Amino acid sequence: MDERERYALGDRTRRAVLGDAHVDRSTAALNDLTSEFYDFVTRAAWGEVWTRPGLDHDTRRLLVLAITVTANREREFKLHLGAALAGGVPLDTVKE
């Protein structure tokens, strides 16, 4: 898989996890400073990590919630919490 394909896979995965509206807002806000980092994160985090076969998306969502809360990343936690609930992770599972 080349980097363009990895980016496309990452974009599809990011949209599946966070929703089109969030991704569209993020890409609309890109500039000369942020575009290369966005490209890297899309390929590496979303096109590599989130697409590995060893864990399902619900488990990855829960791990991201744990990481963002312990890292005191409130904005990212709220984003991923909303996405997890909208993506079908039961609230009781998130509470656990």
Side-chain angles (χ1 to χ4, degrees), residues 13 17 19 24-25 43 49 52 60 77 84 86-88 92:
T13 305
V17 172
D24 290 344
R25 280 191 307 275
R43 287 181 291 109
V49 175
R52 291 176 54 88
R60 290 192 194 281
F77 176 79
D92 288 341

Side-chain angles (χ1 to χ4, degrees), residues 10-46:
D11 184 65
R12 286 191 305 272
T13 305
R14 181 182 244 157
R15 288 177 182 280
V17 172
L18 299 177
D20 288 331
H22 173 79
V23 175
D24 290 344
R25 280 191 307 275
S26 294
T27 56
L30 292 176
N31 58 46
D32 289 340
L33 178 63
T34 60
S35 62
E36 288 181 33
F37 184 69
Y38 186 90
D39 178 74
F40 169 73
V41 169
T42 300
R43 287 181 291 109
W46 297 102

Side-chain angles (χ1 to χ4, degrees), residues 31-83:
N31 58 46
D32 289 340
L33 178 63
T34 60
S35 62
E36 288 181 33
F37 184 69
Y38 186 90
D39 178 74
F40 169 73
V41 169
T42 300
R43 287 181 291 109
W46 297 102
E48 284 280 340
V49 175
W50 273 82
T51 60
R52 291 176 54 88
L55 298 174
D56 60 35
H57 278 188
D58 284 0
T59 302
R60 290 192 194 281
R61 290 176 192 269
L62 294 171
L63 289 168
V64 168
L65 290 175
I67 292 166
T68 55
V69 77
T70 58
N72 197 28
R73 302 299 302 218
E74 184 178 352
R75 192 179 98 210
E76 289 87 353
F77 176 79
K78 288 179 179 180
L79 168 68
H80 284 279
L81 175 60

